[in-house]
Amino acid sequence: MKQKQGLPDTTELTLKFEFNPKDGIDNPVLSLAEDSGPEGLSQLRFCFLKKEDEESFGFWLRQEVGNSGHLIRQVKPGSLAHRKGLREGDRILEVNGVYVDDMEHFRVVWKIQSSGKQVSLTVLDGNAYSLAKALDRNPAQFLPPYNRPRLCCVAKDQNGFGFSVSAPEGVKGTFRMSVLRNGPADKAGVPDGSWLLELNGMSVKNWTYAGLNKKLKQSSSPLGLLVIEAESEDFYQQRNIKITAALADTSWLPFEVRKLPMVRGPSGYGFLLKEERCSSGKKGQFLREVDAGLPAEKAGMRDGDRLLGVNGESTEDLDHHGTVSKIRADRKQVTLLVIDAEGSKFYDLVGLSPLVFYDDQDALTGSTATCTSSSSSTLQENSTSTFIPCHLDMDHHQNARPSRDGSWDFSKEVTMSSVEV
């Protein structure tokens, strides 16, 4: 384990490393009991869920009349959720380190579903939660103070990246950052004295000092760094919480997901949707040929933006025709989630979806839905007042006409019967 101050030697590391070999160092569940408040009031559990391709999380998330909070329901015996410590009636307080108890329910659903195959949840026992509410106490006060890891984009200048790395001799994966004041790393939000956890989406825990230096020399600009302050790392390790990039504070990044609401005009929306290769090698949907003066440009669309979602639903796992169907589902309007080309490249570099960190406080509400999640999650939700970001069956329009290269032009009116864009 890394120390708060200085660089530990091998003996100190060995003495402080205590864990159950059966569960491993990343044991996802821990119960905490603190002295403040009535007995049991502040007992928390930290649950890290990581599922395989065809596996589900295995629980329902509900908002119920007469029960405040975001409730865990119908935890399937033997499921991933059950194995990792979720229980009937638990309340979710944090999703990937973000406090959600006072957040609208549809936003909490979105955060969990957009996390993909893994999510970190902080939950409070239902009885303890109800007791806290009965005593008019905010459950947030029982969460220990800590800072989340930071995800930083460091662009090289004429003098380099603006940081150096030190490590104890003979110890793998322990790298401390020395950050030059007002240099690129400092401006990108890398704290001086922090620990390096990932470089360009790759964990450094098994790397040697020489191996890290080799990787740094081979890396082009910008770098994607996941770092954490020493005190905060102690918080996570003392509670056996696995530190992942999904937990990161991304407020220092120069990229953000943008929401583009558009009402279709007489000449359509004014853009071309084209399938292209992302920098990661995967296929993605990109927005091209944005027409001046039409709804897309007025909404803020830029040529080269990457499409991430349509009408509050992620489209990252949909093919081209499925994405087109989502855009064409409403005759009059559409709302797109996009990120610019540089942001797309950065998130590909670190191996994350930008939607993991997206929080739309103005997302659509008022829809009535009872649905299961996409194939990547069986998180389920039943609510009569919230918008549910679920993947639905794709609706193909047989009369729609793509261009010769397979891209779809949303700039022009299609005059064939029953087909509008």
Side-chain angles (χ1 to χ4, degrees), residues 22-93:
K22 181 178 179 181
D23 293 334
I25 189 173
D26 292 324
N27 179 14
V29 182
L30 182 71
S31 295
L32 302 178
E34 300 184 18
D35 293 331
S36 61
E39 182 178 358
L41 186 60
S42 58
Q43 290 189 359
L44 303 173
R45 276 168 289 125
F46 299 89
C47 305
F48 177 71
L49 282 66
K50 183 177 181 179
K51 57 191 178 65
E52 302 300 329
D53 287 341
E54 300 302 323
E55 191 177 16
S56 67
F57 286 134
F59 69 95
W60 288 57
L61 183 64
R62 292 184 183 272
Q63 185 178 47
E64 299 177 353
V65 176
N67 286 317
S68 58
H70 309 290
L71 286 89
I72 299 293
R73 293 297 194 197
Q74 299 184 32
V75 179
K76 184 184 297 184
S79 67
L80 178 62
H82 186 265
R83 297 195 307 271
K84 299 303 183 181
L86 292 182
R87 296 295 179 260
E88 179 78 12
D90 283 346
R91 302 309 203 277
I92 294 181
L93 298 187

Side-chain angles (χ1 to χ4, degrees), residues 273 275 285 307 309-311 313-329 391-397 406 408 410:
L273 181 68
E275 187 171 80
Q285 309 303 317
L307 180 61
V310 177
N311 295 332
E313 301 177 24
S314 171
T315 56
E316 291 184 285
D317 294 329
L318 294 184
D319 62 14
H320 189 65
H321 290 289
T323 304
V324 170
S325 295
K326 293 294 185 185
I327 297 174
R328 297 165 60 88
H391 293 289
L392 306 178
D393 292 335
M394 291 184 291
D395 179 19
H396 296 282
H397 296 267
W408 283 77
F410 289 90

